[in-house]
Amino acid sequence: MTQSNNIPVSEVYWSLVDKADKKFSKIRDLPYYERNRYDTYFYKVFKVYTQLWKFQQENRQKLVEAGLKRWEIGEIASRIGQLYFGQYMRTSEASYLSESYIFYEAILSREYFKEGLFQDLNLANKQLRFLARFLMVCLVFNRREIVHQLVNQLKLLVDECKRTFQETDFKEWKLVVQEIGKFLKADTAFMNIRPLRYSLVLEPHPDSLPHVAASVTKRNLRLRDAILSSYHHNEVKFSELTLDTFRMLQCLEWEPSGSFYQSSGTKIGQNGAPGAPGPSRINHSQDISDPTLPPNPRKAVLYRPSVTHFIAVLATICEELPPDGVLLIYLSASGRVGQAISSPSGTGTSIDTTENIVRNFQSHNIHSDVTSSSPFSCPWDSQNPSSRRSKGDCISYHTGCLQFGSRGTGGFNCIYPSDLIPFTRRPLFVVIDSDNSEAFKSINGAEKGEPVAMLLSPSLSPPAAAVAESSRHPNGSLFTIFLTAPLQAFYLLLGFSGSDIEMDMYNKAERLLSSSLNDWGMTLATSDTLDPVWAQVLNDPFLRRLLLRFIFCRAVLTLYSPTFNKKEFLPECLPRLPVSVLPTTAASQTVVLQIAAIFSATSSFIFSEAIRLPENTHSDVESMSSS
């Protein structure tokens, strides 16, 4: 950037700051959907911040002499980190997440907000907000060691601020600390033994997946977009990311090659500051980007949107969906009439504490929606699709629904299955995790063009996994855990905790499960009776993995003694899958028997008399138990 010799450096700098602030305030309020429309906005604001960052680097001494404070440099770096994270949330491109981490890590290592921290309440709040935002980035980026470091810093800083600024109420920040504590307690190291993301180290390369015969399907669709949302009373969350949506978000991305198993150990340069793009800056994005992989599916994580907002997002994404694309809709909420749910405010008109603090640009999706305590979806009655009076009249307004807000407002805070039907003109893959999931069966046969693929959770959680007055496991939804971390779900179902795990047993079970899932995948791909709805998505690695894990979940819950032959405890899918992968087949029963035997839990399941452990498996299990 050139400047006239007559204009002081400080004036040029503050002019750039003002320009950047104005552009940032505009982009901060843009939604995460309608990405194509707003791409140019991001590049414009990022260009200004790149100029600003480069200018302060080149003129640092003069600017410091003119009164520039270190925290003001930190503020610019923080804004750039927010821009990158916001663009990651909008596009799901991993390189943006990596760049966000770089800038936040530099702020941490350079301690930009430390000087005068306990003399200036405003500065203390800047440091607190920075730590909360960096926590979110590290959670999503799977930098767990940094997460725990940041949590400790946040706790200490909040306590010190309470002592220093005694007249100020830090109750909100105490709640933030409690919230992240609950999140980490539920999302333990046990839940992250292996990455939730799709790892080529552990799972088949997309090019190696078996292809479905052309006689079964005429097209191969790809997961291009996803809408993820959950709402349960007092559910575990951090900011606007609930535990269930966090797991689904991770599950629908590629794992950086090798990064889960080794730390790069790279540090910020000697000056400690992130630089403008160029060869002098360490490229952490090499750790997370793999040019041989397709891009991540784009995801819209909606936190307690109003029903109208949810439908607007759904309509926009359907409009943008490529011709070969599938849209995944994941909804997790209660639909039980007798179970009261209230919004945290009691009125549904205020936003939770933590997202007020952290969301500043990290949660555009509901930034001005004051009635947004009600994310979406309400299924209808569990009537048999074949016995409906009319395919067009698929749901009564008064039948079951998913509750995304306070009760007593009619259908205002609900999404009914009929709300999704207009969007079945495009291919949809719907996952419903609810005690009223079966209501969504009404969609089957009522579609407007494209048959919908549906995975529906059980209406009740298994007795061993249930907690008092709740259908949800303390670690999150058991059905969602089966879809995102199936072996951990199996372990939790048996009543074990993560601290009980023996890694030799776990690794053996993991290998067996991976092999079994691949066998089921081959069975589906070669089946003459596979419904075209499943056939057209089977070559997508993310959707294929969800479907195969569903098959495992269904087999486990079908054979589990407390839920044996009890329909309310079993998940369902529509259209139906081939008979060859039913839980009652010898192959399915053998898979469950082998995994249960590894954990000495065969007595917890009911198998057919003819089902026996294969000889080699039996000897392996005996040798492990005696070692």
Side-chain angles (χ1 to χ4, degrees), residues 314-342:
L314 177 57
T316 303
I317 293 178
C318 281
E319 184 70 21
E320 294 181 346
L321 196 66
D324 68 341
V326 180
L327 168 61
L328 183 146
I329 301 173
Y330 169 83
L331 300 177
S332 176
S334 175
R336 185 169 298 164
V337 176
Q339 183 180 348
I341 296 180
S342 61

Side-chain angles (χ1 to χ4, degrees), residues 113-125 127-128 131 153-167 170:
F113 299 114
K114 185 176 182 180
E115 189 176 329
L117 181 65
F118 297 114
Q119 286 77 47
D120 186 340
L121 179 59
N122 182 51
L123 199 54
N125 276 307
Q127 174 73 348
L128 288 166
L131 291 174
Q153 287 194 29
L154 188 63
K155 288 178 181 176
L156 291 172
L157 183 57
V158 170
D159 290 341
E160 186 62 34
C161 284
K162 284 186 67 178
R163 287 191 293 269
T164 305
F165 306 102
Q166 294 183 6
E167 72 284 359
F170 282 87

Side-chain angles (χ1 to χ4, degrees), residues 426-468:
R426 305 304 305 272
L428 301 182
F429 190 106
V430 177
V431 180
I432 305 296
D433 192 345
S434 172
D435 49 29
N436 199 20
S437 61
E438 65 178 355
F440 277 81
K441 291 180 183 178
S442 312
I443 296 176
N444 186 249
E447 297 97 332
K448 297 300 182 183
E450 293 279 354
V452 176
M454 284 186 283
L455 303 182
L456 307 175
S457 74
S459 57
L460 292 176
S461 282
V467 290

Side-chain angles (χ1 to χ4, degrees), residues 17-183:
V17 169
D18 184 59
K19 182 179 179 182
D21 283 347
K22 288 178 180 177
K23 289 190 176 295
F24 184 88
S25 65
K26 289 180 181 178
I27 196 172
R28 180 178 54 198
D29 292 338
L30 296 179
Y32 284 152
Y33 59 100
E34 289 190 279
R35 291 91 154 186
N36 299 338
R37 178 179 175 185
Y38 294 121
D39 276 352
T40 54
Y41 287 79
F42 168 77
Y43 290 114
K44 285 180 180 178
V45 70
F46 184 73
K47 182 179 179 181
V48 173
Y49 272 96
T50 300
Q51 291 175 341
L52 179 59
W53 187 256
K54 185 177 180 181
F55 188 84
Q56 67 83 21
Q57 282 188 315
E58 294 173 347
N59 300 276
R60 176 75 60 86
Q61 188 59 39
K62 291 180 180 178
L63 291 171
V64 170
E65 291 172 359
L68 180 67
K69 302 290 192 299
R70 282 183 58 77
W71 69 262
E72 292 173 307
I73 300 171
E75 188 86 330
I76 300 171
S78 181
R79 287 279 178 91
I80 296 173
Q82 285 177 262
L83 282 172
Y84 272 127
F85 186 75
Q87 193 65 356
Y88 159 73
M89 292 297 290
R90 182 175 288 106
T91 65
S92 294
E93 289 186 23
S95 59
Y96 290 127
L97 181 60
S98 176
E99 296 290 348
S100 179
Y101 178 86
I102 290 169
F103 275 83
Y104 281 126
E105 186 186 47
I107 296 169
L108 184 70
S109 63
R110 292 293 290 167
E111 299 180 325
Y112 281 120
F113 299 114
K114 185 176 182 180
E115 189 176 329
L117 181 65
F118 297 114
Q119 286 77 47
D120 186 340
L121 179 59
N122 182 51
L123 199 54
N125 276 307
K126 287 182 183 295
Q127 174 73 348
L128 288 166
R129 282 193 294 270
F130 153 69
L131 291 174
R133 290 185 186 125
F134 193 17
L135 261 172
M136 176 65 77
V137 171
C138 290
L139 270 178
V140 178
F141 200 35
N142 268 334
R143 293 291 197 265
R144 287 306 174 108
E145 71 286 355
I146 306 296
V147 167
H148 291 288
Q149 176 186 334
L150 293 172
V151 169
N152 289 334
Q153 287 194 29
L154 188 63
K155 288 178 181 176
L156 291 172
L157 183 57
V158 170
D159 290 341
E160 186 62 34
C161 284
K162 284 186 67 178
R163 287 191 293 269
T164 305
F165 306 102
Q166 294 183 6
E167 72 284 359
T168 307
D169 185 5
F170 282 87
K171 182 180 178 181
E172 289 186 350
W173 282 109
K174 277 289 190 183
L175 293 176
V176 173
V177 171
Q178 291 173 11
E179 196 172 86
I180 186 61
K182 290 178 181 178
F183 193 100

